[in-house]
Amino acid sequence: MTSSTIAFHPSLNLRELVARRVPGYSLEAPFYTSPAVFDADMEHIFGKHWIYVGVSIDVPEAGDYMTVQIGSQPILIVRDDDNEIRAFHNVCRHRGSRLCAEEKGTVGNLVCPYHQWTYDLTGKLIFADHMAEGFDLSHHSLKPVHVRNMSGLLFICLADNPPEDFDVMAEAMTPYIAPHKIDDCKVAVQVDIIEQGNWKLTLENNRECYHCTANHPELTVSLFAYSYGFAPKAETAEGLRQYDEMVADRHQHWESCGLPSTEVERLSDVTGFRTMRMPLDRAGQSQTLDTKAACKKLLADFKDASIGGLSFWTQPNSWHHFMADHIVTFSVIPLTADTTLVRTKWLVHKDAVEGVDYDVENLTAVWNATNDQDRRLVEESHQGAKSSAYQPGPYSPYTETLVEKFSEWYINRLSAGLE
Amino acid sequence: MTSSTIAFHPSLNLRELVARRVPGYSLEAPFYTSPAVFDADMEHIFGKHWIYVGVSIDVPEAGDYMTVQIGSQPILIVRDDDNEIRAFHNVCRHRGSRLCAEEKGTVGNLVCPYHQWTYDLTGKLIFADHMAEGFDLSHHSLKPVHVRNMSGLLFICLADNPPEDFDVMAEAMTPYIAPHKIDDCKVAVQVDIIEQGNWKLTLENNRECYHCTANHPELTVSLFAYSYGFAPKAETAEGLRQYDEMVADRHQHWESCGLPSTEVERLSDVTGFRTMRMPLDRAGQSQTLDTKAACKKLLADFKDASIGGLSFWTQPNSWHHFMADHIVTFSVIPLTADTTLVRTKWLVHKDAVEGVDYDVENLTAVWNATNDQDRRLVEESHQGAKSSAYQPGPYSPYTETLVEKFSEWYINRLSAGLE
Amino acid sequence: MTSSTIAFHPSLNLRELVARRVPGYSLEAPFYTSPAVFDADMEHIFGKHWIYVGVSIDVPEAGDYMTVQIGSQPILIVRDDDNEIRAFHNVCRHRGSRLCAEEKGTVGNLVCPYHQWTYDLTGKLIFADHMAEGFDLSHHSLKPVHVRNMSGLLFICLADNPPEDFDVMAEAMTPYIAPHKIDDCKVAVQVDIIEQGNWKLTLENNRECYHCTANHPELTVSLFAYSYGFAPKAETAEGLRQYDEMVADRHQHWESCGLPSTEVERLSDVTGFRTMRMPLDRAGQSQTLDTKAACKKLLADFKDASIGGLSFWTQPNSWHHFMADHIVTFSVIPLTADTTLVRTKWLVHKDAVEGVDYDVENLTAVWNATNDQDRRLVEESHQGAKSSAYQPGPYSPYTETLVEKFSEWYINRLSAGLE
């Protein structure tokens, strides 16, 4: 019972565990099951990297706020009166009460419910009654959290000195994402699910489509199986060649319309990411059950729905699909070693009318089904990882290369954190 | 992530944490969140001090028992055949079964449900079948727990040598409490709520009314805001002077009627306590929504309901309000570092008839509402304390002096326990 | 608060705790309450001994499988195409997913739901798509688990080298059990209950009938109290002599019919067990409310229902009662230090028809009631064991000798594991 023994002993040597990782194989069990590793993940991965948490239009107007919880950290994101998006620790400087308990709201100032200490939207304490004479308001501002708004995608970093290569990602990605104009969208639907499994199993699941054919009947309607990276076989060689030609052709077409589409892969960066626009199968318009646009009112100034799907993946916690009619965006928030929150938001044009331009059921059908299927796969993997019989198994060098890149990134970043 | 790191590492140096506490500031996060500190609290605070657990009339007749759980300790309180109230560990000396599982009941002897080992109401084992020949019943009595009945308020102490200054409290408090004659009351209602927060946040919340105006619309109907200890301001100076004069006047009147009323404050004693009788606002009779008596039949031999409210606070776990028509009494029992039981009992005259003399809804309205409001405040503070951004904040030297006295008492008593 | 202190400190010296156990007394509290001891139990007791998990007819046909979970270990039991019962770790060799999530099912091959890696019923990997060229299927078979089928009772052992004295038990027990022909039965009902108590309290409860008279009104209808091992008393001496004579007489009769019946007791063996056929009271046919057969169609080729009850107990986790009309069989699976699964199966002849030959309510009434009563007793004992006031109490040398044998076996086996 090696894994459980390690998990229960505080003497677990994490550095050793990191050092002996074998490339090309899944991680050792404690990475998925040990509370001690989970603590290290929260400290070194989620505490020191850029974490995707939501979209600009979660807080569309001055005074709008949203809250997110990263591990034990309650975070508050507000749009201030100058329209700037700011993030703070959601903790009063008096006796520590959370300032905002709701997930979203609108305020003039931030007033603590306990004793009415009041902060303006830049985090400055502007009122605290009954304090001692020398009490200095300016020493009790809310503690800020780094936040970046990349064409409408919001990333926060809990570290004092966030990774500087966010700029590299922003420069590379802005031309891809900006045309979809998130600021002109609204969040049509948000769904939170909790998976009974470690967050890294959620990410690994997301980084391959080896499992798609057998598990995702709804999702695969709009996907070309040629894009899954299957092992080369004689009988599929000609089909694959034609597919690659078609993709090259579409990329050329989309780029000529001002939509950058070719792959960018920087998954080994500290702020690791990858993007690519891929054609969709059949009607080719959207990740829907009938592969047609789910929303009549297209995003931005798109005239043609046939622009495929722009996918964007970040390390450690997000993925996104941008289509002509809607955007679906996912953030993964670890809760414990054994449980993970997956938050999915569907965005449509802000002027689209529910029931007229789009139907919520139709908009969300594919990914609600897919999320639930993935949840089950993650949970089954987590149960297996707890067994003493579990040992790291080999990744496919064809269909699981991006899983390997995630695992490698994770190990490198954890290793850097432990130095 | 300093606080979570400390909380997860067994190397947490509690002595150091205690030693570096800064007076005038809230406690460091591990005091609220760490399971290791919680264990220390249960051992040194709840294991070595006088803990308020209920009232004499919870066990009004010989053979009546009640059970309470203090941490992992099931405790049994019985009234024996000589009318003496006794307390025992609720644990059979055979194979450890709890003797009584119900919260209250009536028995002739204490019979273990497992193998019928039978103890009399003084704890002596009087029957054990099938044991070996030399088996000595007298070596297997129930283990006693110290219990004191102070004018009807029951306190237990789990230590072998309880703090001796209980007598100081009893001598000081008896003249205040005895006139309300708890023995002539009955428990009209008991409500248990569980707060998702550390017990010290519950106590700190109880020790100030800085938060009352904004949070307790029902409670503040009957309270004079002048009693909250607000910072002196020019515009309230005259009102406060008049209030103090009125209180002095009322104290003189009540004392002349045999009701001691002026403040006694010994919060730094090992058995720390404080009391004061305060006038009530408006009709001035009771802590009710209309400030009138909730029970027509007054307590004891009171003729006049306008005797204000006698409040009594103890370290570490209780507060009580005695009025002419009813008594409301609170005990706080920590369950885990993150959860706390608050038990509230409303007492009325034993001859009062429900539906005739009092209405349960009206009797309990103010404190059911207030408890729920305080629960939310405690829970928000607990969420904040788990953040790495939490740091001890400054207490108001006006409205939070009694919070400081609680924190100081706690730190001193924990420090003494760790010696 | 000795016990809780020990339970929370990783420095708990388990060897010392084992060494200082006092024979004739219940175990010290940490054996029941400490997560560290629980881990040791799972490693040394449940990880190295033969664990009873079910019956051959849980998987009656080739391709049938059942799953069981032992601690963190998901186990898969299948009947292969040669009709051999095999056990495997239910963990895919690729990325660790459980292969089978359901409790029972029927398959041709074992196909992992994640990426369709496919194993035959002997555990050999026969298909894995998209793997690297040199990938060797034969190095990725399912990891086998030792399994033994003793006249229809299935035992598994998670150790590489299981205790060899299973053969001793099999040789001794086969003549007792085989006549009841489990292979010709079906599982009529299975009920799982979870007890909020440590598994050793469940076993201790099972190893004595000191508690039966006061707690099990349904069960004791069919049992002779003389079999409980009560202390000798003058007033029961003659009754006991007559009972012993009657049992000797019945044993002689049953043995002459080919039904071994006299006691075999090897509870100190590594694979400890005990058996005995006992007469039943009143109608004498079955452990039912009216003591008559619950199933009209008798087991095997029994003509006469009056063959009493053959009981069979194993260390560490099972007991069984074989009657002429049905078999009831219990397995105990620890879940945490504080929770235990008790799984009960009622077996009748495979040709018996529900509603015609037997009624489920009547078949299960006695043991559903008894299990629930025992659950309560176990839970009350567990609550008591968490108290600092708990200390090991003396066993009765008459009615609790088999409890002592269980405790002694446990301590010896844990001690051996720790060496």
Side-chain angles (χ1 to χ4, degrees):
Chain A
M1 297 198 176
T2 314
S3 69
S4 76
T5 304
I6 290 177
F8 281 98
H9 284 75
S11 57
L12 163 76
N13 190 327
L14 187 49
R15 272 184 195 82
E16 204 176 292
L17 213 51
V18 164
R20 75 182 185 215
R21 197 249 156 170
V22 180
Y25 283 77
S26 61
L27 301 171
E28 287 193 60
F31 285 112
Y32 303 115
T33 61
S34 155
V37 172
F38 179 79
D39 292 345
D41 286 358
M42 295 316 291
E43 184 173 352
H44 300 298
I45 304 296
F46 281 80
K48 297 180 180 172
H49 293 85
W50 288 101
I51 305 302
Y52 172 68
V53 292
V55 284
S56 58
I57 50 166
D58 279 315
V59 288
E61 309 281 344
D64 289 347
Y65 73 82
M66 69 180 291
T67 59
V68 291
Q69 179 85 16
I70 310 291
S72 57
Q73 317 280 26
I75 307 295
L76 182 59
I77 295 166
V78 299
R79 190 181 285 264
D80 73 16
D81 292 327
D82 294 330
N83 229 20
E84 193 184 334
I85 293 174
R86 294 174 179 269
F88 305 104
H89 287 280
N90 187 7
V91 178
C92 183
R93 294 296 305 277
H94 177 214
R95 273 165 57 194
S97 175
R98 285 199 302 190
L99 296 168
C100 301
E102 302 299 315
E103 198 184 317
K104 289 190 179 183
T106 303
V107 292
N109 290 304
L110 296 159
V111 182
C112 179
Y114 209 159
H115 306 93
Q116 290 67 59
W117 283 32
T118 302
Y119 305 84
D120 71 16
L121 300 181
T122 71
K124 272 173 51 185
L125 180 62
I126 56 175
F127 174 74
D129 214 356
H130 306 299
M131 297 307 292
E133 211 149 313
F135 177 77
D136 188 343
L137 294 168
S138 72
H139 288 174
H140 294 86
S141 299
L142 293 183
K143 294 191 181 177
V145 169
H146 295 280
V147 59
R148 292 291 298 268
N149 177 357
M150 187 177 84
S151 303
L153 301 181
L154 303 184
F155 293 80
I156 64 169
C157 182
L158 294 163
D160 291 337
N161 300 303
E164 293 176 4
D165 65 355
F166 188 92
D167 291 330
V168 174
M169 179 171 79
E171 193 179 354
M173 288 304 305
T174 299
Y176 284 75
I177 297 174
H180 292 265
K181 293 193 180 171
I182 289 178
D183 280 342
D184 290 344
C185 291
K186 64 177 177 182
V187 179
V189 188
Q190 176 177 318
V191 173
D192 288 357
I193 64 170
I194 291 176
E195 301 184 349
Q196 305 293 318
N198 187 272
W199 70 275
K200 291 184 287 292
L201 294 171
T202 303
L203 266 289
E204 292 173 17
N205 172 275
N206 172 255
R207 298 297 141 101
E208 47 94 354
C209 231
Y210 186 177
H211 71 273
C212 289
T213 310
N215 286 285
H216 295 319
E218 297 83 1
L219 178 64
T220 53
V221 170
S222 65
L223 301 187
F224 288 97
Y226 287 115
S227 71
Y228 301 168
F230 286 160
K233 288 178 187 165
E235 63 269 31
T236 56
E238 175 55 19
L240 183 58
R241 198 192 55 72
Q242 288 176 16
Y243 171 75
D244 286 341
E245 237 177 63
M246 183 267 282
V247 172
D249 184 65
R250 299 302 293 159
H251 279 179
Q252 199 174 8
H253 170 66
W254 292 329
E255 304 238 352
S256 76
C257 306
L259 293 173
S261 301
T262 54
E263 183 179 10
V264 179
E265 197 265 84
R266 296 190 68 110
L267 288 168
S268 303
D269 285 10
V270 175
T271 303
F273 70 97
R274 176 174 175 256
T275 196
M276 192 182 189
R277 191 179 300 272
M278 284 181 289
L280 296 172
D281 204 351
R282 298 171 210 253
Q285 298 184 337
S286 203
Q287 290 175 357
T288 54
L289 288 174
D290 63 2
T291 70
K292 292 180 186 158
C295 185
K296 284 182 202 159
K297 180 146 189 57
L298 298 188
L299 302 181
D301 43 12
F302 295 139
K303 299 284 179 275
D304 178 10
S306 300
I307 62 168
L310 170 72
S311 294
F312 172 47
W313 298 267
T314 74
Q315 319 277 49
N317 89 316
S318 79
W319 60 94
H320 319 257
H321 303 296
F322 298 79
M323 287 151 290
D325 68 319
H326 79 278
I327 299 165
V328 55
T329 173
F330 306 77
S331 63
V332 173
I333 309 287
L335 301 177
T336 68
D338 297 335
T339 54
T340 302
L341 172 69
V342 176
R343 174 165 290 167
T344 306
K345 300 180 196 233
W346 286 262
L347 278 50
V348 298
H349 194 287
K350 65 182 172 186
D351 297 333
V353 178
E354 188 187 332
V356 176
D357 294 306
Y358 66 98
D359 171 74
V360 166
E361 191 70 24
N362 182 47
L363 179 70
T364 60
V366 164
W367 276 105
N368 270 337
T370 303
N371 279 347
D372 192 57
Q373 291 147 1
D374 283 331
R375 177 192 57 72
R376 191 174 42 78
L377 295 171
V378 165
E379 291 177 357
E380 289 301 315
S381 296
H382 194 84
Q383 287 304 311
K386 292 199 287 185
S387 169
S388 71
Y390 170 82
Q391 69 180 68
Y395 291 141
S396 160
Y398 304 104
T399 59
E400 291 172 306
T401 50
L402 297 172
V403 183
E404 168 62 16
K405 278 178 195 275
F406 167 74
S407 298
E408 189 190 31
W409 178 89
Y410 165 76
I411 288 290
N412 286 341
R413 300 314 306 150
L414 188 55
S415 179
L418 292 170
E419 260 162 26
Chain B
M1 298 199 177
T2 315
S3 69
S4 76
T5 304
I6 289 177
F8 281 99
H9 283 76
S11 57
L12 163 76
N13 190 327
L14 188 49
R15 272 184 194 82
E16 205 174 292
L17 214 51
V18 164
R20 75 182 184 214
R21 197 249 157 171
V22 181
Y25 283 78
S26 61
L27 302 171
E28 287 193 60
F31 285 112
Y32 304 115
T33 60
S34 154
V37 173
F38 179 78
D39 292 344
D41 285 358
M42 294 316 292
E43 184 172 352
H44 301 298
I45 304 296
F46 281 79
K48 298 179 179 172
H49 293 85
W50 287 101
I51 305 302
Y52 171 69
V53 292
V55 284
S56 58
I57 48 166
D58 279 315
V59 289
E61 308 280 346
D64 290 346
Y65 72 82
M66 68 180 291
T67 59
V68 290
Q69 179 86 15
I70 310 291
S72 59
Q73 316 280 23
I75 307 295
L76 182 59
I77 295 167
V78 300
R79 190 182 286 264
D80 74 16
D81 293 326
D82 294 330
N83 229 21
E84 194 184 334
I85 294 174
R86 293 175 180 268
F88 306 103
H89 287 280
N90 187 7
V91 178
C92 184
R93 295 296 305 277
H94 177 213
R95 273 165 57 194
S97 174
R98 284 198 303 188
L99 297 167
C100 300
E102 302 299 315
E103 198 184 316
K104 290 191 178 181
T106 303
V107 293
N109 289 304
L110 296 160
V111 183
C112 180
Y114 210 157
H115 306 94
Q116 290 65 58
W117 283 33
T118 303
Y119 307 83
D120 71 16
L121 300 181
T122 71
K124 272 174 49 186
L125 180 63
I126 57 175
F127 175 75
D129 215 356
H130 307 299
M131 297 308 292
E133 211 150 312
F135 177 77
D136 188 344
L137 292 169
S138 71
H139 288 172
H140 294 86
S141 299
L142 292 182
K143 294 190 180 178
V145 170
H146 295 280
V147 62
R148 292 291 299 266
N149 177 358
M150 186 177 85
S151 303
L153 301 181
L154 303 183
F155 293 80
I156 64 169
C157 182
L158 295 164
D160 292 337
N161 300 303
E164 293 176 5
D165 64 354
F166 188 91
D167 291 330
V168 175
M169 177 170 79
E171 193 177 354
M173 288 305 306
T174 299
Y176 283 76
I177 298 174
H180 292 266
K181 294 194 180 170
I182 289 177
D183 280 342
D184 291 344
C185 291
K186 64 176 177 183
V187 179
V189 188
Q190 176 177 317
V191 173
D192 288 357
I193 65 170
I194 290 176
E195 300 184 349
Q196 305 292 318
N198 188 270
W199 69 275
K200 291 185 287 291
L201 294 171
T202 304
L203 264 290
E204 292 173 16
N205 172 276
N206 173 255
R207 298 297 142 103
E208 47 96 353
C209 231
Y210 186 176
H211 71 273
C212 289
T213 309
N215 286 285
H216 297 318
E218 297 84 1
L219 177 63
T220 52
V221 170
S222 64
L223 301 187
F224 287 97
Y226 288 115
S227 70
Y228 302 168
F230 287 161
K233 290 178 186 167
E235 64 269 32
T236 56
E238 175 56 19
L240 182 59
R241 198 193 55 72
Q242 288 177 17
Y243 171 75
D244 286 342
E245 237 179 65
M246 183 267 283
V247 172
D249 183 66
R250 299 302 293 159
H251 280 180
Q252 199 176 7
H253 169 67
W254 292 329
E255 303 239 352
S256 74
C257 306
L259 294 172
S261 301
T262 54
E263 183 178 10
V264 180
E265 197 264 82
R266 297 191 67 112
L267 288 168
S268 303
D269 285 9
V270 175
T271 303
F273 70 97
R274 176 174 175 257
T275 196
M276 192 181 189
R277 191 179 299 272
M278 284 181 289
L280 297 171
D281 204 350
R282 299 172 209 251
Q285 298 184 338
S286 202
Q287 290 176 357
T288 54
L289 289 173
D290 63 3
T291 70
K292 292 182 186 156
C295 185
K296 285 182 203 160
K297 180 146 189 56
L298 299 187
L299 302 182
D301 43 12
F302 296 139
K303 298 285 179 274
D304 177 8
S306 300
I307 62 168
L310 171 71
S311 293
F312 172 45
W313 298 268
T314 75
Q315 321 276 48
N317 89 316
S318 79
W319 59 94
H320 320 256
H321 303 296
F322 298 78
M323 288 151 289
D325 68 319
H326 79 277
I327 299 166
V328 55
T329 173
F330 307 76
S331 63
V332 173
I333 308 288
L335 302 176
T336 67
D338 297 335
T339 55
T340 302
L341 173 69
V342 176
R343 176 166 290 167
T344 307
K345 300 181 197 234
W346 287 261
L347 278 50
V348 297
H349 195 287
K350 65 181 173 187
D351 298 332
V353 178
E354 188 187 333
V356 176
D357 294 307
Y358 67 97
D359 171 72
V360 166
E361 191 71 23
N362 183 47
L363 178 69
T364 60
V366 165
W367 276 105
N368 270 337
T370 303
N371 280 345
D372 192 58
Q373 291 147 0
D374 283 331
R375 177 193 56 74
R376 189 173 43 77
L377 295 171
V378 165
E379 292 177 356
E380 289 301 315
S381 296
H382 194 84
Q383 288 304 311
K386 293 199 286 186
S387 169
S388 70
Y390 170 82
Q391 71 181 66
Y395 291 141
S396 160
Y398 304 104
T399 59
E400 291 173 306
T401 51
L402 297 172
V403 183
E404 168 62 17
K405 278 178 195 275
F406 168 74
S407 298
E408 189 190 32
W409 177 90
Y410 165 76
I411 288 290
N412 286 342
R413 299 314 307 150
L414 188 55
S415 179
L418 292 171
E419 259 161 27
Chain C
M1 297 199 176
T2 315
S3 68
S4 75
T5 304
I6 290 177
F8 281 98
H9 284 75
S11 57
L12 162 77
N13 191 326
L14 187 49
R15 272 184 194 80
E16 205 175 291
L17 214 51
V18 164
R20 74 182 185 216
R21 197 250 157 171
V22 180
Y25 284 77
S26 62
L27 301 171
E28 286 194 61
F31 285 112
Y32 304 115
T33 60
S34 155
V37 173
F38 180 78
D39 292 344
D41 286 358
M42 295 316 293
E43 183 171 354
H44 300 298
I45 304 297
F46 281 80
K48 297 180 180 171
H49 293 86
W50 288 101
I51 304 304
Y52 171 69
V53 291
V55 285
S56 59
I57 49 167
D58 279 316
V59 288
E61 309 279 345
D64 288 348
Y65 72 82
M66 69 180 292
T67 59
V68 290
Q69 179 87 15
I70 310 292
S72 58
Q73 316 280 25
I75 307 295
L76 183 60
I77 295 166
V78 299
R79 191 180 286 264
D80 73 16
D81 293 327
D82 294 330
N83 231 19
E84 194 184 333
I85 293 174
R86 293 174 179 269
F88 305 103
H89 287 280
N90 187 7
V91 179
C92 183
R93 294 297 304 278
H94 177 213
R95 273 165 58 195
S97 175
R98 284 199 302 189
L99 296 168
C100 300
E102 302 299 315
E103 197 184 316
K104 290 192 179 183
T106 302
V107 292
N109 289 305
L110 296 159
V111 183
C112 180
Y114 210 158
H115 307 94
Q116 289 66 58
W117 283 31
T118 302
Y119 305 84
D120 71 16
L121 299 181
T122 71
K124 273 173 49 184
L125 180 63
I126 57 176
F127 174 76
D129 214 357
H130 306 301
M131 297 308 292
E133 210 149 312
F135 178 76
D136 189 344
L137 293 169
S138 72
H139 287 174
H140 295 86
S141 298
L142 292 183
K143 293 190 180 178
V145 170
H146 295 280
V147 60
R148 292 290 299 267
N149 177 358
M150 187 177 84
S151 303
L153 301 182
L154 303 183
F155 293 80
I156 64 169
C157 183
L158 294 164
D160 291 337
N161 300 303
E164 292 176 5
D165 65 354
F166 188 92
D167 291 331
V168 175
M169 178 171 79
E171 193 178 354
M173 287 305 305
T174 300
Y176 283 76
I177 297 173
H180 291 265
K181 294 193 179 170
I182 290 176
D183 281 341
D184 290 343
C185 290
K186 65 177 176 182
V187 179
V189 188
Q190 176 176 319
V191 173
D192 288 356
I193 64 170
I194 290 176
E195 302 184 349
Q196 306 292 319
N198 187 271
W199 70 275
K200 291 184 286 292
L201 294 171
T202 304
L203 265 290
E204 292 172 17
N205 172 276
N206 173 255
R207 298 297 143 101
E208 47 96 354
C209 231
Y210 187 177
H211 71 273
C212 289
T213 309
N215 286 286
H216 297 319
E218 297 83 0
L219 178 64
T220 51
V221 170
S222 65
L223 301 187
F224 287 97
Y226 287 114
S227 70
Y228 302 169
F230 286 161
K233 288 178 187 166
E235 63 269 32
T236 55
E238 175 54 20
L240 183 59
R241 198 194 53 73
Q242 287 177 17
Y243 172 75
D244 286 342
E245 238 178 63
M246 184 266 283
V247 172
D249 183 65
R250 297 305 292 160
H251 279 180
Q252 199 175 8
H253 170 66
W254 291 329
E255 303 240 351
S256 74
C257 306
L259 294 172
S261 300
T262 55
E263 183 179 11
V264 180
E265 198 265 84
R266 297 190 69 110
L267 288 169
S268 302
D269 285 9
V270 175
T271 304
F273 70 98
R274 176 174 175 256
T275 196
M276 192 181 190
R277 190 179 300 271
M278 283 181 290
L280 297 171
D281 204 350
R282 300 172 208 253
Q285 297 184 339
S286 203
Q287 290 175 358
T288 54
L289 289 174
D290 63 3
T291 71
K292 292 181 186 156
C295 186
K296 285 182 202 159
K297 181 147 190 56
L298 299 187
L299 302 181
D301 42 12
F302 295 139
K303 300 283 180 275
D304 177 9
S306 300
I307 61 170
L310 170 72
S311 293
F312 173 46
W313 298 268
T314 74
Q315 320 276 48
N317 88 316
S318 79
W319 60 95
H320 319 256
H321 302 296
F322 297 79
M323 287 152 289
D325 68 319
H326 79 278
I327 299 165
V328 55
T329 174
F330 307 76
S331 62
V332 173
I333 309 287
L335 301 177
T336 67
D338 297 336
T339 56
T340 301
L341 172 69
V342 176
R343 175 164 290 166
T344 307
K345 299 179 196 234
W346 287 262
L347 278 50
V348 298
H349 194 287
K350 65 181 173 188
D351 297 333
V353 179
E354 188 186 334
V356 177
D357 295 306
Y358 67 98
D359 171 73
V360 165
E361 192 72 22
N362 183 47
L363 178 71
T364 60
V366 165
W367 277 104
N368 271 337
T370 303
N371 279 347
D372 191 57
Q373 291 147 0
D374 283 332
R375 176 191 57 72
R376 191 175 42 79
L377 295 171
V378 165
E379 292 177 356
E380 289 301 315
S381 296
H382 193 84
Q383 287 304 312
K386 291 198 287 184
S387 169
S388 70
Y390 170 82
Q391 69 181 68
Y395 291 141
S396 161
Y398 304 104
T399 58
E400 290 173 306
T401 50
L402 297 172
V403 183
E404 168 62 18
K405 279 179 196 273
F406 167 74
S407 297
E408 190 191 30
W409 178 90
Y410 165 75
I411 289 290
N412 286 341
R413 299 314 307 151
L414 187 55
S415 179
L418 292 171
E419 259 161 28

